[in-house]
Amino acid sequence: MKAHLKGRTDLAESTVEVGERRYRITHPSVADALIDEREFDEDDRLPYWAEIWPSAIALARRLSGDDLAGRRTIELGCGVGLATVAAMEGGASVLATDYYEAALDFTRHNARTNVGSSPATSLLDWRAPDVGDHGPFDLVFAADVLYEEGSARALAGLVPGLLKPGGEALFADPGRRWEPLFRELMGEAGFSFETEEATVDVEGQERDVTVLLHRVRGG
């Protein structure tokens, strides 16, 4: 699992409650230790994938309440795989994607640990996407991916082409600056939003985190 991590990286294991399940999720203990200055200078890369974000917890809990049996799904920016694990537990066929090979390593490991099998995985650059012959999908889902303007614009261009007719997307977001832009662009493309709030209690923080869960459907 460390094959695609640069340098020495300590690992940690967190227990995350999702519905009636408690998942054991392995992740880098200090995400900032993975910052590569050369990669950041060349491509603005930061190791967002290495954290278990509150939005990922909220998304996993939301997915756990859905009947996903037989549904073809894709996660955009899978990170260490919590939401993918929840979707697999619910019976979905999942293609887990990320910009980092290390994220796919952790996702495969965490899926094997918690549900006994690995999802299909693929590297995916939202700016130049290639999902091969895997799509289209019944469900696209993602957690906390609207942190940059370029991400919001790229995803608004990508998601419509991933969905089969009648498909839907589920985005979890804690109120990032560029989330309104994503909603605006998707609305211009004919998609509607149903939004609900979820509250996540994060260890070490004084306040709970409010996450917006957007269910996105075509017109």
Side-chain angles (χ1 to χ4, degrees):
M1 188 169 54
K2 289 188 178 184
H4 296 101
L5 292 178
K6 296 183 178 181
R8 183 180 183 279
T9 302
D10 293 329
L11 303 182
E13 183 177 275
S14 297
T15 300
V16 183
E17 293 187 8
V18 176
E20 298 180 353
R21 283 297 309 270
R22 293 170 64 89
Y23 294 127
R24 293 184 292 114
I25 302 296
T26 300
H27 55 93
S29 58
V30 182
D32 286 351
L34 303 176
I35 294 175
D36 184 302
E37 292 185 5
R38 180 183 60 81
E39 287 186 344
F40 179 74
D41 289 340
E42 293 178 354
D43 200 19
D44 290 338
R45 288 198 186 198
L46 288 171
Y48 297 122
W49 66 268
E51 302 270 6
I52 302 176
W53 297 100
S55 291
I57 297 173
L59 178 59
R61 290 172 178 170
R62 182 65 182 82
L63 289 168
S64 72
D66 287 349
D67 180 7
L68 301 176
R71 301 187 74 184
R72 301 185 69 193
T73 71
I74 180 172
E75 181 171 14
L76 304 177
C78 61
V80 294
L82 175 60
T84 282
V85 167
M88 292 177 66
E89 179 95 64
S93 170
V94 183
L95 174 62
T97 68
D98 206 281
Y99 196 36
Y100 288 86
E101 187 67 55
L104 304 182
D105 288 345
F106 277 86
T107 294
R108 288 188 292 263
H109 171 81
N110 286 321
R112 287 193 299 268
T113 298
N114 290 281
V115 296
S117 61
S118 296
T121 59
S122 180
L123 288 172
L124 184 64
D125 183 345
W126 302 333
R127 299 165 300 182
D130 180 8
V131 293
D133 297 326
H134 295 287
F137 299 92
D138 300 296
L139 175 67
V140 174
F141 59 94
D144 209 345
V145 292
L146 303 173
Y147 38 80
E148 296 172 353
E149 180 181 3
S151 298
R153 292 188 181 278
L155 288 165
L158 172 63
V159 171
L162 293 176
L163 290 172
K164 65 171 54 175
E168 60 185 15
L170 187 60
F171 278 75
D173 185 85
R176 297 291 185 188
R177 175 183 178 186
W178 298 106
E179 178 262 352
L181 174 63
F182 174 74
R183 286 191 285 110
E184 177 184 344
L185 294 173
M186 291 296 289
E188 291 175 355
F191 287 81
S192 62
F193 282 68
E194 295 179 6
T195 301
E196 60 187 79
E197 290 187 358
T199 301
V200 178
D201 181 9
V202 180
E203 185 178 354
Q205 293 193 19
E206 295 182 359
R207 298 181 179 178
D208 295 343
V209 176
T210 298
V211 177
L212 299 178
L213 291 162
H214 301 298
R215 188 172 291 276
V216 187
R217 295 184 174 95

PDB file of all heavy atoms in Angstrom, residues 32-52:
ATOM      1  N   ASP A  32      -0.093  16.286   5.629  1.00  0.00           N
ATOM      2  CA  ASP A  32       0.856  17.308   5.171  1.00  0.00           C
ATOM      3  C   ASP A  32       2.240  16.736   4.890  1.00  0.00           C
ATOM      4  O   ASP A  32       3.021  17.330   4.141  1.00  0.00           O
ATOM      5  CB  ASP A  32       0.973  18.423   6.215  1.00  0.00           C
ATOM      6  CG  ASP A  32      -0.251  19.330   6.233  1.00  0.00           C
ATOM      7  OD1 ASP A  32      -1.095  19.192   5.328  1.00  0.00           O
ATOM      8  OD2 ASP A  32      -0.361  20.158   7.151  1.00  0.00           O
ATOM      9  N   ALA A  33       2.555  15.591   5.492  1.00  0.00           N
ATOM     10  CA  ALA A  33       3.856  14.976   5.246  1.00  0.00           C
ATOM     11  C   ALA A  33       3.997  14.490   3.810  1.00  0.00           C
ATOM     12  O   ALA A  33       5.106  14.205   3.347  1.00  0.00           O
ATOM     13  CB  ALA A  33       4.083  13.812   6.209  1.00  0.00           C
ATOM     14  N   LEU A  34       2.874  14.422   3.095  1.00  0.00           N
ATOM     15  CA  LEU A  34       2.887  13.934   1.716  1.00  0.00           C
ATOM     16  C   LEU A  34       3.034  15.050   0.687  1.00  0.00           C
ATOM     17  O   LEU A  34       3.098  14.775  -0.509  1.00  0.00           O
ATOM     18  CB  LEU A  34       1.591  13.163   1.421  1.00  0.00           C
ATOM     19  CG  LEU A  34       1.293  11.985   2.345  1.00  0.00           C
ATOM     20  CD1 LEU A  34      -0.054  11.377   1.992  1.00  0.00           C
ATOM     21  CD2 LEU A  34       2.387  10.936   2.260  1.00  0.00           C
ATOM     22  N   ILE A  35       3.067  16.290   1.128  1.00  0.00           N
ATOM     23  CA  ILE A  35       3.176  17.403   0.186  1.00  0.00           C
ATOM     24  C   ILE A  35       4.495  17.319  -0.560  1.00  0.00           C
ATOM     25  O   ILE A  35       5.566  17.171   0.037  1.00  0.00           O
ATOM     26  CB  ILE A  35       3.060  18.756   0.909  1.00  0.00           C
ATOM     27  CG1 ILE A  35       1.649  18.921   1.496  1.00  0.00           C
ATOM     28  CG2 ILE A  35       3.380  19.914  -0.045  1.00  0.00           C
ATOM     29  CD1 ILE A  35       1.481  20.176   2.326  1.00  0.00           C
ATOM     30  N   ASP A  36       4.411  17.374  -1.878  1.00  0.00           N
ATOM     31  CA  ASP A  36       5.578  17.362  -2.746  1.00  0.00           C
ATOM     32  C   ASP A  36       5.671  18.745  -3.399  1.00  0.00           C
ATOM     33  O   ASP A  36       4.817  19.113  -4.209  1.00  0.00           O
ATOM     34  CB  ASP A  36       5.431  16.266  -3.812  1.00  0.00           C
ATOM     35  CG  ASP A  36       6.652  16.119  -4.693  1.00  0.00           C
ATOM     36  OD1 ASP A  36       7.042  17.115  -5.334  1.00  0.00           O
ATOM     37  OD2 ASP A  36       7.224  15.017  -4.760  1.00  0.00           O
ATOM     38  N   GLU A  37       6.690  19.504  -3.032  1.00  0.00           N
ATOM     39  CA  GLU A  37       6.784  20.887  -3.516  1.00  0.00           C
ATOM     40  C   GLU A  37       6.919  20.946  -5.032  1.00  0.00           C
ATOM     41  O   GLU A  37       6.374  21.849  -5.679  1.00  0.00           O
ATOM     42  CB  GLU A  37       7.965  21.591  -2.846  1.00  0.00           C
ATOM     43  CG  GLU A  37       7.760  21.817  -1.355  1.00  0.00           C
ATOM     44  CD  GLU A  37       8.886  22.622  -0.739  1.00  0.00           C
ATOM     45  OE1 GLU A  37       9.763  23.080  -1.496  1.00  0.00           O
ATOM     46  OE2 GLU A  37       8.882  22.810   0.496  1.00  0.00           O
ATOM     47  N   ARG A  38       7.619  19.997  -5.621  1.00  0.00           N
ATOM     48  CA  ARG A  38       7.767  20.005  -7.079  1.00  0.00           C
ATOM     49  C   ARG A  38       6.414  19.777  -7.753  1.00  0.00           C
ATOM     50  O   ARG A  38       6.053  20.483  -8.697  1.00  0.00           O
ATOM     51  CB  ARG A  38       8.751  18.921  -7.520  1.00  0.00           C
ATOM     52  CG  ARG A  38       8.953  18.872  -9.045  1.00  0.00           C
ATOM     53  CD  ARG A  38       9.878  17.727  -9.439  1.00  0.00           C
ATOM     54  NE  ARG A  38       9.338  16.447  -9.020  1.00  0.00           N
ATOM     55  CZ  ARG A  38       8.398  15.791  -9.715  1.00  0.00           C
ATOM     56  NH1 ARG A  38       7.886  16.315 -10.830  1.00  0.00           N
ATOM     57  NH2 ARG A  38       7.964  14.612  -9.300  1.00  0.00           N
ATOM     58  N   GLU A  39       5.638  18.800  -7.257  1.00  0.00           N
ATOM     59  CA  GLU A  39       4.326  18.537  -7.834  1.00  0.00           C
ATOM     60  C   GLU A  39       3.395  19.732  -7.652  1.00  0.00           C
ATOM     61  O   GLU A  39       2.601  20.049  -8.538  1.00  0.00           O
ATOM     62  CB  GLU A  39       3.709  17.287  -7.208  1.00  0.00           C
ATOM     63  CG  GLU A  39       4.356  15.987  -7.651  1.00  0.00           C
ATOM     64  CD  GLU A  39       3.608  14.779  -7.121  1.00  0.00           C
ATOM     65  OE1 GLU A  39       2.798  14.947  -6.182  1.00  0.00           O
ATOM     66  OE2 GLU A  39       3.837  13.672  -7.636  1.00  0.00           O
ATOM     67  N   PHE A  40       3.492  20.390  -6.491  1.00  0.00           N
ATOM     68  CA  PHE A  40       2.636  21.557  -6.257  1.00  0.00           C
ATOM     69  C   PHE A  40       3.000  22.679  -7.217  1.00  0.00           C
ATOM     70  O   PHE A  40       2.120  23.334  -7.794  1.00  0.00           O
ATOM     71  CB  PHE A  40       2.764  22.043  -4.824  1.00  0.00           C
ATOM     72  CG  PHE A  40       1.926  23.258  -4.534  1.00  0.00           C
ATOM     73  CD1 PHE A  40       0.556  23.156  -4.393  1.00  0.00           C
ATOM     74  CD2 PHE A  40       2.506  24.514  -4.454  1.00  0.00           C
ATOM     75  CE1 PHE A  40      -0.224  24.287  -4.152  1.00  0.00           C
ATOM     76  CE2 PHE A  40       1.739  25.646  -4.216  1.00  0.00           C
ATOM     77  CZ  PHE A  40       0.374  25.529  -4.059  1.00  0.00           C
ATOM     78  N   ASP A  41       4.297  22.915  -7.419  1.00  0.00           N
ATOM     79  CA  ASP A  41       4.726  23.978  -8.324  1.00  0.00           C
ATOM     80  C   ASP A  41       4.296  23.688  -9.758  1.00  0.00           C
ATOM     81  O   ASP A  41       3.903  24.597 -10.500  1.00  0.00           O
ATOM     82  CB  ASP A  41       6.249  24.136  -8.273  1.00  0.00           C
ATOM     83  CG  ASP A  41       6.726  24.740  -6.961  1.00  0.00           C
ATOM     84  OD1 ASP A  41       5.900  25.364  -6.270  1.00  0.00           O
ATOM     85  OD2 ASP A  41       7.913  24.567  -6.627  1.00  0.00           O
ATOM     86  N   GLU A  42       4.332  22.412 -10.152  1.00  0.00           N
ATOM     87  CA  GLU A  42       4.007  22.058 -11.528  1.00  0.00           C
ATOM     88  C   GLU A  42       2.512  21.941 -11.780  1.00  0.00           C
ATOM     89  O   GLU A  42       2.029  22.258 -12.858  1.00  0.00           O
ATOM     90  CB  GLU A  42       4.675  20.716 -11.887  1.00  0.00           C
ATOM     91  CG  GLU A  42       6.195  20.778 -11.946  1.00  0.00           C
ATOM     92  CD  GLU A  42       6.810  19.428 -12.259  1.00  0.00           C
ATOM     93  OE1 GLU A  42       6.040  18.431 -12.322  1.00  0.00           O
ATOM     94  OE2 GLU A  42       8.038  19.357 -12.426  1.00  0.00           O
ATOM     95  N   ASP A  43       1.768  21.494 -10.761  1.00  0.00           N
ATOM     96  CA  ASP A  43       0.375  21.122 -11.029  1.00  0.00           C
ATOM     97  C   ASP A  43      -0.575  21.457  -9.889  1.00  0.00           C
ATOM     98  O   ASP A  43      -1.710  20.979  -9.870  1.00  0.00           O
ATOM     99  CB  ASP A  43       0.330  19.610 -11.323  1.00  0.00           C
ATOM    100  CG  ASP A  43      -0.922  19.206 -12.069  1.00  0.00           C
ATOM    101  OD1 ASP A  43      -1.563  20.083 -12.674  1.00  0.00           O
ATOM    102  OD2 ASP A  43      -1.264  18.014 -12.038  1.00  0.00           O
ATOM    103  N   ASP A  44      -0.140  22.277  -8.922  1.00  0.00           N
ATOM    104  CA  ASP A  44      -0.970  22.641  -7.769  1.00  0.00           C
ATOM    105  C   ASP A  44      -1.486  21.420  -7.005  1.00  0.00           C
ATOM    106  O   ASP A  44      -2.575  21.449  -6.407  1.00  0.00           O
ATOM    107  CB  ASP A  44      -2.173  23.486  -8.214  1.00  0.00           C
ATOM    108  CG  ASP A  44      -1.748  24.873  -8.680  1.00  0.00           C
ATOM    109  OD1 ASP A  44      -0.659  25.319  -8.278  1.00  0.00           O
ATOM    110  OD2 ASP A  44      -2.499  25.494  -9.438  1.00  0.00           O
ATOM    111  N   ARG A  45      -0.725  20.334  -7.009  1.00  0.00           N
ATOM    112  CA  ARG A  45      -1.164  19.126  -6.323  1.00  0.00           C
ATOM    113  C   ARG A  45      -0.954  19.243  -4.815  1.00  0.00           C
ATOM    114  O   ARG A  45       0.120  19.585  -4.350  1.00  0.00           O
ATOM    115  CB  ARG A  45      -0.386  17.900  -6.813  1.00  0.00           C
ATOM    116  CG  ARG A  45      -0.743  17.428  -8.200  1.00  0.00           C
ATOM    117  CD  ARG A  45      -0.253  16.021  -8.389  1.00  0.00           C
ATOM    118  NE  ARG A  45      -0.441  15.538  -9.742  1.00  0.00           N
ATOM    119  CZ  ARG A  45      -0.413  14.245 -10.079  1.00  0.00           C
ATOM    120  NH1 ARG A  45      -0.177  13.330  -9.168  1.00  0.00           N
ATOM    121  NH2 ARG A  45      -0.577  13.876 -11.329  1.00  0.00           N
ATOM    122  N   LEU A  46      -2.008  18.932  -4.072  1.00  0.00           N
ATOM    123  CA  LEU A  46      -1.947  18.817  -2.620  1.00  0.00           C
ATOM    124  C   LEU A  46      -2.632  17.502  -2.223  1.00  0.00           C
ATOM    125  O   LEU A  46      -3.583  17.071  -2.893  1.00  0.00           O
ATOM    126  CB  LEU A  46      -2.640  20.000  -1.945  1.00  0.00           C
ATOM    127  CG  LEU A  46      -1.904  21.342  -2.016  1.00  0.00           C
ATOM    128  CD1 LEU A  46      -2.801  22.453  -1.509  1.00  0.00           C
ATOM    129  CD2 LEU A  46      -0.606  21.298  -1.228  1.00  0.00           C
ATOM    130  N   PRO A  47      -2.180  16.861  -1.148  1.00  0.00           N
ATOM    131  CA  PRO A  47      -2.705  15.531  -0.795  1.00  0.00           C
ATOM    132  C   PRO A  47      -4.043  15.580  -0.068  1.00  0.00           C
ATOM    133  O   PRO A  47      -4.197  15.042   1.029  1.00  0.00           O
ATOM    134  CB  PRO A  47      -1.594  14.961   0.098  1.00  0.00           C
ATOM    135  CG  PRO A  47      -0.999  16.161   0.750  1.00  0.00           C
ATOM    136  CD  PRO A  47      -1.038  17.247  -0.296  1.00  0.00           C
ATOM    137  N   TYR A  48      -5.036  16.217  -0.686  1.00  0.00           N
ATOM    138  CA  TYR A  48      -6.365  16.256  -0.088  1.00  0.00           C
ATOM    139  C   TYR A  48      -6.903  14.844   0.153  1.00  0.00           C
ATOM    140  O   TYR A  48      -7.705  14.618   1.062  1.00  0.00           O
ATOM    141  CB  TYR A  48      -7.345  17.001  -0.998  1.00  0.00           C
ATOM    142  CG  TYR A  48      -7.023  18.452  -1.251  1.00  0.00           C
ATOM    143  CD1 TYR A  48      -6.829  18.925  -2.549  1.00  0.00           C
ATOM    144  CD2 TYR A  48      -6.947  19.365  -0.216  1.00  0.00           C
ATOM    145  CE1 TYR A  48      -6.559  20.258  -2.798  1.00  0.00           C
ATOM    146  CE2 TYR A  48      -6.672  20.704  -0.450  1.00  0.00           C
ATOM    147  CZ  TYR A  48      -6.479  21.143  -1.747  1.00  0.00           C
ATOM    148  OH  TYR A  48      -6.208  22.467  -1.992  1.00  0.00           O
ATOM    149  N   TRP A  49      -6.491  13.911  -0.687  1.00  0.00           N
ATOM    150  CA  TRP A  49      -7.027  12.550  -0.649  1.00  0.00           C
ATOM    151  C   TRP A  49      -6.740  11.835   0.666  1.00  0.00           C
ATOM    152  O   TRP A  49      -7.456  10.886   1.035  1.00  0.00           O
ATOM    153  CB  TRP A  49      -6.442  11.718  -1.795  1.00  0.00           C
ATOM    154  CG  TRP A  49      -4.954  11.484  -1.666  1.00  0.00           C
ATOM    155  CD1 TRP A  49      -3.959  12.249  -2.194  1.00  0.00           C
ATOM    156  CD2 TRP A  49      -4.306  10.432  -0.945  1.00  0.00           C
ATOM    157  NE1 TRP A  49      -2.735  11.742  -1.856  1.00  0.00           N
ATOM    158  CE2 TRP A  49      -2.917  10.617  -1.087  1.00  0.00           C
ATOM    159  CE3 TRP A  49      -4.769   9.344  -0.193  1.00  0.00           C
ATOM    160  CZ2 TRP A  49      -1.981   9.769  -0.510  1.00  0.00           C
ATOM    161  CZ3 TRP A  49      -3.836   8.497   0.387  1.00  0.00           C
ATOM    162  CH2 TRP A  49      -2.465   8.709   0.221  1.00  0.00           C
ATOM    163  N   ALA A  50      -5.703  12.262   1.398  1.00  0.00           N
ATOM    164  CA  ALA A  50      -5.199  11.493   2.534  1.00  0.00           C
ATOM    165  C   ALA A  50      -5.975  11.710   3.832  1.00  0.00           C
ATOM    166  O   ALA A  50      -5.691  11.054   4.837  1.00  0.00           O
ATOM    167  CB  ALA A  50      -3.722  11.813   2.755  1.00  0.00           C
ATOM    168  N   GLU A  51      -6.948  12.621   3.838  1.00  0.00           N
ATOM    169  CA  GLU A  51      -7.750  12.898   5.028  1.00  0.00           C
ATOM    170  C   GLU A  51      -9.095  12.166   4.954  1.00  0.00           C
ATOM    171  O   GLU A  51      -9.612  11.898   3.869  1.00  0.00           O
ATOM    172  CB  GLU A  51      -8.035  14.400   5.131  1.00  0.00           C
ATOM    173  CG  GLU A  51      -6.806  15.279   5.175  1.00  0.00           C
ATOM    174  CD  GLU A  51      -6.319  15.520   6.593  1.00  0.00           C
ATOM    175  OE1 GLU A  51      -6.886  14.899   7.526  1.00  0.00           O
ATOM    176  OE2 GLU A  51      -5.383  16.309   6.757  1.00  0.00           O
ATOM    177  N   ILE A  52      -9.662  11.873   6.123  1.00  0.00           N
ATOM    178  CA  ILE A  52     -11.059  11.428   6.174  1.00  0.00           C
ATOM    179  C   ILE A  52     -11.891  12.669   6.475  1.00  0.00           C
ATOM    180  O   ILE A  52     -12.046  13.084   7.628  1.00  0.00           O
ATOM    181  CB  ILE A  52     -11.279  10.350   7.253  1.00  0.00           C
ATOM    182  CG1 ILE A  52     -10.370   9.154   6.993  1.00  0.00           C
ATOM    183  CG2 ILE A  52     -12.752   9.903   7.250  1.00  0.00           C
ATOM    184  CD1 ILE A  52     -10.466   8.077   8.070  1.00  0.00           C
TER     185      ILE A  52
END
